[in-house]
Amino acid sequence: MKLYCLSGHPTLPCNVLKFKSTTIMLDCGLDMTSTLNFLPLPLVQSPRLSNLPGWSLKDGNAFLDKELKECSGHVFVDSVPEFCLPETELIDLSTVDVILISNYHCMMALPYITEHTGFTGTVYATEPTVQIGRLLMEELVNFIERVPKAQSASLWKNKDIQRLLPSPLKDAVEVSTWRRCYTMQEVNSALSKIQLVGYSQKIELFGAVQVTPLSSGYALGSSNWIIQSHYEKVSYVSGSSLLTTHPQPMDQASLKNSDVLILTGLTQIPTANPDGMVGEFCSNLALTVRNGGNVLVPCYPSGVIYDLLECLYQYIDSAGLSNIPFYFISPVANSSLEFSQIFAEWLCHNKQTKVYLPEPPFPHAELIQTNKLKHYPSLHGDFSSDFRQPCVVFTGHPSLRFGDVVHFMELWGKSSLNTVIFTEPDFSYLEALAPYQPLAMKCIYCPIDTRLNFIQVSKLLKEVQPLHVVCPEQYTQPPPAQSHRMDLMIDCQPPAMSYRRAEVLALPFKRRYEKIEIMPELADALVPMEIKPGISLATVSAVLHTKDNKHILQPPPRPTQPTGGKKRKRASDDIPDCKVLKPLLSGSIPVEQFVQTLEKHGFSDIKVEDTAKGHIVLLQEAETLIQIEEDSTHIICDNDEMLRVRLRDLVLKFLQKF
Amino acid sequence: MDPECSQLLPALCAVLADPRQPVADDTCLEKLLDWFKTITKAGSSLLLLQENPCLVELLCHVLKPQDLSSRVLSFSLRLAGVFAAQEDCFQYLQQGELLPRLFGEPGPLGGAAWTAPSVRSGWIQGLRSLAQHPSALHFLADCGAVDTIFSLQGDSSLFVASAAGQLLVHILGLSMQGLAEGHPSLQAGDWPVCAQKIVGHIEESLHSTAVPQITQALNVLTTTFGHCHDPWTQVLWVRLSPLVGSLLEKDPVPAAHSLVDLLLSVARSPGLSSSSCGLWETLAQTLNHLSPTQAGPLALGILKLQDCPQVLRAQAFVILLQPLACVLKATGQDPGPSDVLDSATGDSLTVDALLSSKAACVGLLCRTLAHLELLQPLPQRPCPWPQEPLLGAAVTLLQLCRGSASPASDVGRHLCALLLGCVRVQRAALDFLGTLSQETGPWKGRVGSFFMSVSGPQELVTEVFAVLLEYLRSPDSSPTVLKKAFQATFRWLLSSPKTPGCCDLEPHALLVLRELLPVLQKRLCSPCWEVRDSGLEFLTQMTRHWGGQAGFRHALLASEVPKLTEQLLRDPESYVRASAVTVMGQLSSQGLHVTPVSPEHPGGQQKSLLVELLHILSTDSEGFPRRAVMQVFTQWLRDHHADVAGDTEQFMARVLQVASQDLDWEVRAQGLELALVFLEQTLGQFHSHCPYAVTPPVAAPAGPLAQALQPLCRVRLFEFAFRALFDCDRPVAQKSCDLLLFLRAKTASSSGSLQESRSGPDVASVEAALQRWQAGDQGQPLGDLEPEVVLAVLRSVDLEGLRGALAEGSDHMEKSPQSLLQDMLATVGVLGENEADCY
């Protein structure tokens, strides 16, 4: 069993598991942090951005000044943003049989894999994952396609040139494999390969393994996966949460008794407690708005935003913010808000019960109804006429490189009354802000990541007790900036196996057993013999029939009567050569009784020696040795077949035959 | 006993003795017993029994084999004890052999009733009352009671067990009483038999291997040394101390808690000269043998002792400091120049105790911090006080709990993992840190840079403020931790030294304040109301202290804090509204309330704070904000706040009108307080006795009394006060009574000059209205009163009588023994009727 690790990002995993005869890709995450190296794509022409000076080498050579621009001491690529794809060279991706998706954030690289690698398999995901994943992809494509950029920079990617660049461009990995965003057509084609599944549904893969999604508690429709054969069980835990937010709670019990547990997608901010962060978010929001400033919340169109809106729903009246408009701007804002209300079966118990009242499960319905929350597909159109300040705007993209957020950063960045509050943990907020410097607006970092933290992981592992844990290498040591925090790493016994990008891991267990079915008529013919209380054995002669990874024992065909030998039999009809089998023996030989028996049968001068593995009975007179060990007995005598047979029969008296 | 009670008593005794008529209520029996105790204290018990033979009959009756309730049995035992406390009565009861039958083998002791804990408890309490004279001692010895008491020490009921222990102490004291007086140098061998027996039992228990027995013996001794300081106690200690010492040789030390209590009780006893009986050695030995967790309380106790050898104190202090020293060492910090903490480091036992489990670690640290906090303000605390390392330890603990410390050692990392996010340690450390701010020891008075003077060198104090700010800023601080952090910050700001002749915050504290205000701003917007509330409390404290100082005012006015505070007047949580009212009242008094221009109505005039507070007073659905408004108004009136001084009469009329209709009695009571201030101010000019009294800048109504009373009439103060006089809540009525009495006293001398009133209700109609009010019909208003009518009514109403009646408890009518007896009889009667109904 092998694990091919195609992504180095612990929360955007992409691994391939070879298990029995199947090749299973686990998640398909897209590392978008690469876009932080690019200049933002402004929705309307930004004089500031277009007038940034070109970057030149120390020696004054300015041949890169068209591609690279400098802003407040940082250098950015002036081109369409590009993404860092999962490793495609490590394994032939056309051999991948299935792709299992655990949540909508972990499927963003799907079009690259399904459309450009010769992939012919099936993708499995839950319905909300697919629907919201589609929204995220749609938003991404929309954000990038609506501001077409004529220029495409590639010179800087040249290895010799890259070496000369300042950090972080110099250290960016595998820039040659970075790709532009996919198209909507590719998205649709990729999504058409998905087969929808429900929690606890068992899906057979070629009869060899069975895969089952389980609720992981992190997002709508997010799942962990069980991949099991009859005797082996691999759990894939990716992006799980034990907190009570909107999704169905995590199913922990089904993860028990795993041979291997692959653990990815833990919280990216282990030191920040989501509750505290939500409080911080609310306080800073209220503080800004009360002082007459605007609040900008760069966010994804689904996920934490539902919880934030719910908190604000409870908070705004008490904080005297009822008159402040809340805007949610995204090409998919409407769909996201509406989708969230229809996936009742994927929600936590509280929200499910609301549906039966019937009430919308999320309170943002009421915010919309009362006109406190308004949503728009983009800045243009209705929004411009409704826009009122001070206000709170939720919009993407959290990288601040594309989407409507770029406009608001340019618009509000100059006033210290305004605040940008970062809630998504995927991007470093300082890097995200770099191309907007110098910035007067206040910046608050309240990353809300509800995924498992290390304390929860250690409780989870104690609870489910897997034999082996496999995880990204980042989880096996404290974060570099807090090397003393031994609590910020996975602590388990045996120590977790770690992987990094482009590494192949041999998983530490051997398959020992295989399940074989036995045909009823054959089973009828068996004569079990009890060899120990409760344990019976029977010999069986049969033909092993293997098809579709299923093994069946069938009765051997009766020996056909010789028909005169006219027809030559086909080779395949050959009956296995059924010799009369020697009986199988079991039991152990009690040495003292054996010696007594020997004496009774006329052997004298018997000596017994103890050895490491058993005993040696020495018949000195007959110059014969009987070596008795746990699983074998040897009679060594000098060419006296009569004596050997006599002794053999005496030995056999102590053993059971069947 | 009065004849009425004597008449009722036989019937009651009959009821008590009748098993078919169960007494439903225990408290009646308790009250009855209390009553008998008062009677016997005042007079002869013997006479009482002779005059009321039914009592002895009752005592005899309960002994008959019958199905009597355990309550009555227990009561009878205690009653017998109360009577037998007087020696003549004891003899009287002895004649009838009643006492042996009640307390000896033939009594309930052997019977089925003994299984009830209340009976066992009654038996012990009866004996406790009885054991007051030498005859009682003989009785106890004869009936074998002492052995029973021994066994009751291990009773399953904790009350019985503890009472048994105390009874032993009492008997021991009683038996030694007579002898000890005559023989100051008494030898243990000469002790009375009873005392010998008890001491023998204690010795035996101390020899025992069973921890409960040892605990019992230690507890008896602790109580003995705590209560009795006669010379014989020293003999007792000399005799028993080797045994107590031998407990220390066991591992683990059994009943360590009780042992610590005993040693401290001995050490505190003035009857013992500690130096002569080896107590200090035992204490030193004990400190060494106990585990770090057990040794802490002993160490604290030793340090609290007044006269104790310096060596022992030093040892105790080292033990007390050990956990903190370990923390400092584990985080790679130099424990500092103090010898004390230096010698405390490296104790592996303490390290083990700290690291054994999270619960143990947290428990030990919290106890240590609490002990040191108790010790810090005491005059006998160790000197030199290691302020610097203690500060360092408190700061380090707080950093460990936040994960912001970066310990280099394994122990440190382990500690960090145990303490991360631990709210208990955070709270304890913040409290301790706050206490350390009051340090006025060796640092004080040192010349040098600003911070060094009070609490420690500048770097440390800077670190203290840094860690406090870190806590105040952190989104993970729980509301209770934040509250403590605010309190500690305030204490540290208070302790920053003042420039002579100037009360303002000095420059460094102002720097801290500038960092603090943005944090406070954010906390005032917290979604958690507790946080908003503690933020407001903090602001109140700061404003109270530095509201008049330029530096503070400037910083505060430059921030958004006043504006945010005003918005909190409309907070959904009533506690927060109440706190906001208090702060706003204070800010306004100090001139720190700037009327803001709202974003919705730029340039528009906002309504004044007074109007806003009046609005809260008349409309807020919760009591707390309304009470806070009344307090602010009272303060404003006292301070002659500009908003109030402008038109005081209109203000008073409006507030009293609203307050009189308030459903919350505290608001009405506060209204009377306000009325009193107004009254004093109005009449103050009329009778200004004190030549140095500062004359407030209100219109001074110097003139005849009627003129002086006119403003009071105009604001309808009298209607408010008279109405309050018959308020259904006693405190309001009492306050009103006091107010009117005060007014009557003020006006008594000059009442002659008044004229008869010409308009408005006359005296008779007012009196009639008051009577209706008293009867509960408060609907009708009084109308405009003339001062003359008021004065006449004041004279005619029996205010003194009313005050007397109000001072009585609400049950004073029902408290008499006669009514108690009647009640008990009536209850039984009712029970009987119900029974009849059932059939």
Side-chain angles (χ1 to χ4, degrees):
Chain A
M1 187 188 300
K2 282 193 169 149
L3 189 71
Y4 298 75
C5 310
L6 312 186
S7 158
H9 198 301
T11 30
L12 297 167
C14 184
N15 297 315
V16 173
L17 178 72
K18 284 209 169 203
F19 180 33
K20 288 184 80 173
S21 51
T22 56
T23 305
I24 304 173
M25 179 179 275
L26 304 169
D27 278 330
C28 208
L30 182 64
D31 186 353
M32 291 197 245
T33 49
S34 57
T35 58
L36 293 173
N37 295 300
F38 293 80
L39 270 189
L41 295 180
L43 216 54
V44 284
Q45 178 73 19
S46 157
R48 186 186 70 88
L49 286 174
S50 44
N51 291 333
L52 286 177
W55 181 79
S56 48
L57 289 170
K58 273 182 199 146
D59 57 11
N61 195 332
F63 71 103
L64 280 168
D65 68 346
K66 288 275 179 296
E67 291 200 353
L68 302 182
K69 303 281 176 194
E70 200 169 347
C71 175
S72 300
H74 292 264
V75 176
F76 298 95
V77 182
D78 187 10
S79 171
V80 186
E82 292 177 340
F83 306 118
C84 177
L85 269 51
E87 204 66 45
T88 48
E89 306 293 317
L90 196 63
I91 183 172
D92 179 3
L93 293 177
S94 67
T95 63
V96 171
D97 298 313
V98 291
I99 303 180
L100 307 180
I101 302 293
S102 54
N103 64 65
Y104 45 76
H105 285 299
C106 292
M107 60 184 281
M108 296 300 280
L110 203 56
Y112 294 115
I113 305 291
T114 60
E115 306 310 301
H116 299 284
T117 61
F119 172 80
T120 53
T122 315
V123 184
Y124 290 101
T126 62
E127 191 184 354
T129 302
V130 178
Q131 297 299 355
I132 297 174
R134 176 195 297 276
L135 296 183
L136 292 181
M137 291 179 177
E138 211 177 301
E139 188 191 57
L140 188 67
V141 173
N142 189 308
F143 279 163
I144 291 184
E145 284 185 353
R146 73 183 179 188
V147 259
K149 191 143 185 150
Q151 189 188 355
S152 175
S154 55
L155 205 55
W156 70 276
K157 290 187 183 176
N158 184 313
K159 274 196 174 144
D160 294 326
I161 296 175
Q162 198 196 352
R163 269 189 298 116
L164 306 173
L165 304 182
S167 281
L169 282 177
K170 185 172 66 177
D171 312 315
V173 286
E174 309 202 30
V175 289
S176 57
T177 65
W178 288 12
R179 290 287 172 271
R180 286 174 166 222
C181 187
Y182 32 73
T183 64
M184 212 47 221
Q185 200 182 0
E186 287 169 323
V187 169
N188 287 330
S189 170
L191 296 182
S192 70
K193 297 185 171 79
I194 299 184
Q195 195 168 324
L196 300 183
V197 290
Y199 287 149
S200 305
Q201 185 182 332
K202 293 179 167 55
I203 303 135
E204 287 280 337
L205 301 185
F206 318 113
V209 295
Q210 198 180 51
V211 295
T212 312
L214 305 170
S215 172
S216 75
Y218 166 55
L220 276 177
S222 68
S223 4
N224 293 322
W225 291 86
I226 303 280
I227 303 146
Q228 59 188 340
S229 64
H230 293 298
Y231 292 98
E232 298 89 14
K233 179 172 175 181
V234 177
S235 296
Y236 175 58
V237 174
S238 164
S240 301
S241 174
L242 289 170
L243 302 180
T244 319
T245 56
H246 58 271
Q248 242 189 57
M250 177 181 177
D251 178 355
Q252 293 184 66
S254 309
L255 299 172
K256 282 186 183 169
N257 305 319
S258 304
D259 296 285
V260 172
L261 188 138
I262 304 169
L263 185 60
T264 65
L266 304 187
T267 174
Q268 301 190 69
I269 320 287
T271 49
N273 159 24
D275 277 339
M277 285 301 155
V278 170
E280 192 79 353
F281 172 79
C282 290
S283 307
N284 283 299
L285 186 143
L287 188 61
T288 306
V289 173
R290 282 183 188 174
N291 287 334
N294 301 294
V295 177
L296 178 62
V297 187
C299 62
Y300 292 116
S302 176
V304 175
I305 185 170
Y306 302 142
D307 297 319
L308 284 180
L309 287 175
E310 186 156 358
C311 289
L312 287 172
Y313 169 78
Q314 292 158 2
Y315 176 65
I316 50 178
D317 285 331
S318 69
L321 303 177
S322 323
N323 298 324
I324 302 299
F326 286 73
Y327 301 120
F328 176 21
I329 304 171
S330 159
V332 297
N334 188 30
S335 319
S336 165
L337 292 173
E338 284 181 358
F339 268 137
S340 63
Q341 306 282 21
I342 59 166
F343 290 125
E345 59 169 305
W346 306 90
L347 293 173
C348 63
H349 180 73
N350 261 351
K351 295 219 179 303
Q352 275 191 30
T353 45
K354 279 195 163 185
V355 180
Y356 296 107
L357 288 177
E359 270 176 26
F362 285 95
H364 55 239
E366 200 186 315
L367 287 176
I368 295 170
Q369 244 172 24
T370 52
N371 257 340
K372 285 176 184 162
L373 174 67
K374 294 179 182 180
H375 55 86
Y376 305 88
S378 90
L379 283 174
H380 303 296
D382 291 345
F383 176 73
S384 337
S385 46
D386 293 352
F387 184 48
R388 200 153 54 78
Q389 302 191 71
C391 64
V392 180
V393 170
F394 293 87
T395 189
H397 186 271
S399 66
L400 303 192
R401 291 303 178 269
F402 36 83
D404 304 272
V405 74
V406 176
H407 181 75
F408 285 101
M409 284 303 297
E410 294 286 334
L411 184 71
W412 288 344
K414 292 169 212 82
S415 164
S416 62
L417 279 180
N418 303 324
T419 306
V420 52
I421 309 183
F422 291 86
T423 57
E424 301 288 355
D426 287 355
F427 300 93
S428 143
Y429 79 106
L430 288 175
E431 285 182 48
L433 288 171
Y436 299 94
Q437 299 294 0
L439 202 63
M441 88 195 285
K442 282 196 282 286
C443 303
I444 306 289
Y445 185 53
C446 299
I448 297 168
D449 196 334
T450 56
R451 285 173 280 203
L452 296 176
N453 63 30
F454 290 99
I455 298 170
Q456 291 163 338
V457 165
S458 98
K459 275 186 191 152
L460 176 76
L461 292 181
K462 261 185 207 142
E463 176 89 17
V464 305
Q465 299 204 317
L467 290 183
H468 299 280
V469 176
V470 178
C471 65
E473 64 170 352
Q474 288 93 329
Y475 296 160
T476 56
Q477 60 221 14
Q482 290 159 300
S483 55
H484 66 286
R485 292 288 297 264
M486 304 304 280
D487 56 313
L488 300 183
M489 57 182 274
I490 291 179
D491 181 23
C492 63
Q493 278 309 324
M497 291 184 71
S498 69
Y499 64 79
R500 61 172 78 175
R501 189 179 166 108
E503 203 168 60
V504 183
L505 228 60
L507 296 185
F509 77 94
K510 279 187 187 152
R511 296 183 48 228
R512 291 184 184 207
Y513 300 106
E514 188 59 89
K515 189 172 176 176
I516 298 179
E517 278 180 30
I518 188 161
M519 297 291 282
E521 55 267 40
L522 184 62
D524 267 352
L526 297 183
V527 188
M529 250 175 60
E530 191 165 56
I531 54 154
K532 267 187 199 172
I535 296 178
S536 299
L537 285 184
T539 53
V540 58
S541 305
V543 175
L544 181 65
H545 188 89
T546 298
K547 187 184 173 188
D548 285 349
N549 292 308
K550 283 208 164 50
H551 312 287
I552 301 170
L553 278 181
Q554 292 175 339
R558 291 206 179 77
T560 39
Q561 296 300 318
T563 51
K566 277 186 186 172
K567 275 185 192 170
R568 200 169 178 278
K569 278 185 284 180
R570 277 181 300 179
S572 62
D573 282 350
D574 258 343
I575 304 160
D577 197 8
C578 294
K579 283 182 202 161
V580 178
L581 290 166
K582 286 183 188 170
L584 296 174
L585 302 172
S586 71
S588 59
I589 302 162
V591 179
E592 276 176 32
Q593 287 177 32
F594 180 59
V595 171
Q596 282 170 13
T597 312
L598 286 174
E599 281 170 347
K600 222 181 273 176
H601 284 80
F603 295 99
S604 55
D605 203 9
I606 303 169
K607 244 176 109 180
V608 179
E609 278 175 28
D610 288 347
T611 64
K613 291 179 178 173
H615 308 277
I616 294 176
V617 179
L618 197 63
L619 307 177
Q620 291 183 327
E621 214 169 283
E623 290 184 9
T624 298
L625 273 176
I626 306 172
Q627 214 173 352
I628 304 174
E629 290 176 0
E630 197 185 358
D631 49 2
S632 64
T633 307
H634 296 286
I635 299 168
I636 302 162
C637 57
D638 198 14
N639 274 336
D640 189 346
E641 182 62 11
M642 286 284 284
L643 177 64
R644 193 190 69 81
V645 171
R646 254 182 82 201
L647 288 172
R648 184 199 69 187
D649 291 345
L650 289 179
V651 168
L652 286 178
K653 276 187 182 174
F654 287 94
L655 299 174
Q656 282 180 301
K657 296 178 248 331
F658 54 91
Chain B
M1 189 186 298
D2 48 20
E4 290 88 354
C5 291
S6 280
Q7 267 178 354
L8 289 168
L9 208 50
L12 184 73
C13 288
V15 165
L16 290 177
D18 186 353
R20 288 168 309 156
Q21 296 189 320
V23 181
D25 186 4
D26 256 356
T27 51
C28 296
L29 293 175
E30 293 298 328
K31 285 180 189 166
L32 204 57
L33 200 68
D34 284 345
W35 176 52
F36 279 116
K37 277 184 194 160
T38 9
I39 298 178
T40 51
K41 218 175 251 172
S44 159
S45 303
L46 183 57
L47 212 60
L48 180 72
L49 289 191
Q50 283 165 346
E51 283 171 359
N52 299 285
C54 61
L55 289 170
V56 179
E57 277 165 29
L58 173 68
L59 295 182
C60 294
H61 188 82
V62 296
L63 287 169
K64 290 181 188 159
Q66 56 188 327
D67 205 10
L68 203 59
S69 84
S70 54
R71 290 169 180 173
V72 175
L73 191 53
S74 168
F75 165 77
S76 309
L77 289 166
R78 289 155 70 193
L79 188 63
V82 170
F83 293 143
Q86 293 178 8
E87 202 157 3
D88 54 349
C89 190
F90 173 83
Q91 305 297 357
Y92 174 74
L93 289 171
Q94 273 293 60
Q95 284 165 17
E97 286 292 304
L98 193 55
L99 290 178
R101 279 159 60 207
L102 278 168
F103 294 101
E105 282 297 333
L109 188 48
W114 194 247
T115 50
S118 61
V119 173
R120 301 200 294 277
S121 168
W123 186 86
I124 293 179
Q125 289 179 39
L127 284 184
R128 171 74 177 75
S129 314
L130 173 154
Q132 303 295 340
H133 38 75
S135 317
L137 276 180
H138 292 299
F139 168 71
L140 288 173
D142 292 345
C143 72
V146 179
D147 287 313
T148 312
I149 303 170
F150 288 157
S151 70
L152 283 176
Q153 279 187 288
D155 198 273
S156 57
S157 157
L158 285 179
F159 293 102
V160 174
S162 137
Q166 283 172 10
L167 179 56
L168 278 183
V169 175
H170 177 75
I171 296 173
L172 180 63
L174 179 70
S175 62
M176 294 302 295
Q177 215 170 32
L179 286 167
E181 282 160 12
H183 309 267
S185 58
L186 188 73
Q187 291 303 304
D190 306 337
W191 286 13
V193 184
C194 192
Q196 294 266 22
K197 187 169 182 172
I198 294 174
V199 174
H201 174 72
I202 292 172
E203 283 176 327
E204 201 180 306
S205 301
L206 288 176
H207 275 303
S208 158
T209 48
V211 177
Q213 285 205 12
I214 300 174
T215 312
Q216 287 161 17
L218 292 174
N219 287 347
V220 167
L221 289 175
T222 307
T223 320
T224 306
F225 291 111
H227 285 85
C228 184
H229 309 130
D230 292 338
W232 62 267
T233 52
Q234 178 151 358
V235 183
L236 180 66
W237 176 246
V238 171
R239 178 168 162 187
L240 292 180
S241 62
L243 273 179
V244 172
S246 70
L247 291 178
L248 294 174
E249 285 153 22
K250 299 183 185 173
D251 189 31
V253 177
H257 263 302
S258 305
L259 181 62
V260 167
D261 288 345
L262 170 63
L263 293 175
L264 289 175
S265 170
V266 173
R268 288 184 202 120
S269 168
L272 272 79
S273 74
S274 317
S275 47
S276 66
C277 53
L279 179 65
W280 303 137
E281 290 74 16
T282 313
L283 282 171
Q285 213 184 342
T286 315
L287 275 178
N288 280 336
H289 277 81
L290 293 182
S291 74
T293 329
Q294 296 161 336
L298 181 62
L300 176 68
I302 290 173
L303 290 167
K304 278 177 163 179
L305 292 175
Q306 298 286 355
D307 47 354
C308 170
Q310 194 52 41
V311 185
L312 183 60
R313 287 171 59 80
Q315 188 194 352
F317 200 37
V318 166
I319 296 270
L320 199 57
L321 291 174
Q322 230 149 30
L324 295 188
C326 287
V327 168
L328 283 178
K329 198 182 168 203
T331 48
Q333 290 177 57
D334 180 17
S338 163
D339 297 338
V340 187
L341 229 71
D342 208 21
S343 51
T345 54
D347 181 89
S348 64
L349 270 180
T350 314
V351 175
D352 291 346
L354 273 176
L355 299 185
S356 64
S357 74
K358 180 165 178 153
C361 176
V362 170
L364 182 55
L365 286 172
C366 287
R367 268 192 300 274
T368 304
L369 292 170
H371 288 156
L372 287 167
E373 203 182 321
L374 283 174
L375 198 60
Q376 195 267 352
L378 297 183
Q380 68 267 38
R381 66 154 198 216
C383 188
W385 178 252
Q387 171 79 355
E388 195 179 340
L390 285 180
L391 262 184
V395 169
T396 306
L397 272 180
L398 286 170
Q399 285 169 339
L400 284 172
C401 291
R402 283 258 309 126
S404 56
S406 42
S409 70
D410 279 346
V411 178
R413 276 189 288 269
H414 195 150
L415 260 180
C416 186
L418 287 175
L419 293 178
L420 254 172
C422 177
V423 173
R424 269 185 67 200
V425 174
Q426 291 178 7
R427 284 196 302 238
L430 283 167
D431 272 343
F432 181 55
L433 195 64
T435 309
L436 287 179
S437 73
Q438 293 175 340
E439 181 50 36
T440 49
W443 301 107
K444 184 131 190 169
R446 278 201 192 178
V447 189
S449 68
F450 112 96
F451 263 137
M452 196 155 136
S453 55
V454 173
S455 307
Q458 181 169 352
E459 311 83 65
L460 255 179
V461 182
T462 312
E463 241 181 273
V464 167
F465 276 113
V467 83
L468 286 172
L469 275 169
E470 192 186 327
Y471 267 75
L472 291 173
R473 277 198 194 113
S474 163
D476 291 335
S477 297
S478 80
T480 48
V481 168
L482 263 179
K483 194 181 170 83
K484 302 258 179 212
F486 271 129
Q487 285 167 349
T489 309
F490 177 68
R491 294 174 80 172
W492 275 90
L493 282 175
L494 259 189
S495 76
S496 68
K498 287 139 197 99
T499 322
C502 170
C503 305
D504 205 354
L505 284 163
E506 47 58 64
H508 276 81
L510 273 175
L511 281 183
V512 173
L513 183 71
R514 279 201 193 100
E515 281 194 69
L516 202 59
L517 288 171
V519 181
L520 182 61
Q521 251 164 247
K522 195 181 75 187
R523 292 301 179 190
L524 291 181
C525 295
S526 167
C528 174
W529 72 263
E530 291 93 335
V531 174
R532 299 197 295 274
D533 198 47
S534 32
L536 287 173
E537 274 174 20
F538 177 64
L539 181 60
T540 312
Q541 287 175 315
M542 287 207 299
T543 317
R544 190 171 293 147
H545 270 89
W546 301 291
Q549 312 307 322
F552 177 81
R553 294 174 68 88
H554 191 255
L556 188 71
L557 286 174
S559 76
E560 306 288 343
V561 170
K563 194 171 111 191
L564 289 170
T565 309
E566 193 182 17
Q567 288 174 356
L568 291 179
L569 287 176
R570 295 173 285 283
D571 197 275
E573 181 59 48
S574 63
Y575 298 111
V576 179
R577 290 199 299 277
S579 302
V581 165
T582 310
V583 183
M584 285 310 293
Q586 208 166 63
L587 287 177
S588 174
S589 296
Q590 307 266 20
L592 286 165
H593 167 235
V594 194
T595 312
V597 178
S598 81
E600 287 104 79
H601 315 285
Q605 192 60 43
Q606 285 264 311
K607 52 183 175 180
S608 79
L609 184 60
L610 176 66
V611 176
E612 183 128 15
L613 293 188
L614 269 172
H615 180 72
I616 292 176
L617 182 64
S618 44
T619 57
D620 203 301
S621 57
E622 299 284 335
F624 302 105
R626 303 200 306 268
R627 290 179 204 170
V629 169
M630 288 306 290
Q631 271 156 2
V632 166
F633 282 164
T634 313
Q635 196 54 46
W636 279 6
L637 187 65
R638 275 204 189 100
D639 299 346
H640 309 288
H641 187 281
D643 285 2
V644 174
D647 190 348
T648 313
E649 280 188 28
Q650 198 201 351
F651 164 78
M652 281 304 295
R654 180 89 186 91
V655 175
L656 289 183
Q657 188 205 355
V658 178
S660 69
Q661 285 157 8
D662 204 293
L663 293 176
D664 186 350
W665 71 263
E666 286 197 40
V667 173
R668 299 195 298 276
Q670 191 64 43
L672 287 161
E673 185 68 37
L674 181 77
L676 186 65
V677 175
F678 183 64
L679 199 131
E680 280 170 342
Q681 286 181 355
T682 314
L683 297 185
Q685 282 69 50
F686 182 69
H687 277 296
S688 193
H689 295 302
C690 175
Y692 304 110
V694 180
T695 317
V698 283
L705 180 60
Q707 217 174 328
L709 289 183
Q710 274 300 349
L712 303 181
C713 290
R714 281 199 295 274
V715 305
R716 289 184 178 261
L717 186 143
F718 296 111
E719 176 155 355
F720 178 70
F722 283 136
R723 216 176 259 279
L725 202 54
F726 307 116
D727 198 288
C728 53
D729 287 295
R730 208 143 53 95
V732 179
Q734 275 174 323
K735 218 168 175 124
S736 170
C737 206
D738 292 342
L739 178 118
L740 292 172
L741 280 166
F742 168 79
L743 180 67
R744 197 169 72 184
K746 279 259 177 189
T747 55
S749 53
S750 24
S751 52
S753 64
L754 288 171
Q755 303 290 311
E756 273 302 307
S757 73
R758 286 174 299 278
S759 62
D762 58 11
V763 178
S765 73
V766 172
E767 279 172 354
L770 291 188
Q771 268 164 13
R772 277 199 300 280
W773 287 0
Q774 191 163 20
D777 173 20
Q778 294 233 345
Q780 195 190 359
L782 280 183
D784 292 326
L785 294 179
E786 292 295 327
E788 296 78 7
V789 179
V790 170
L791 289 172
V793 172
L794 267 183
R795 276 195 299 274
S796 70
V797 176
D798 178 16
L799 289 172
E800 282 86 358
L802 201 57
R803 182 158 71 171
L806 288 168
E808 295 270 11
S810 55
D811 62 343
H812 72 277
M813 300 294 278
E814 288 74 35
K815 234 176 156 180
S816 72
Q818 191 186 343
S819 91
L820 173 67
L821 298 183
Q822 277 167 343
D823 277 357
M824 288 181 76
L825 285 170
T827 323
V828 177
V830 169
L831 282 176
E833 275 168 28
N834 284 347
E835 239 169 42
D837 283 346
C838 291
Y839 289 101

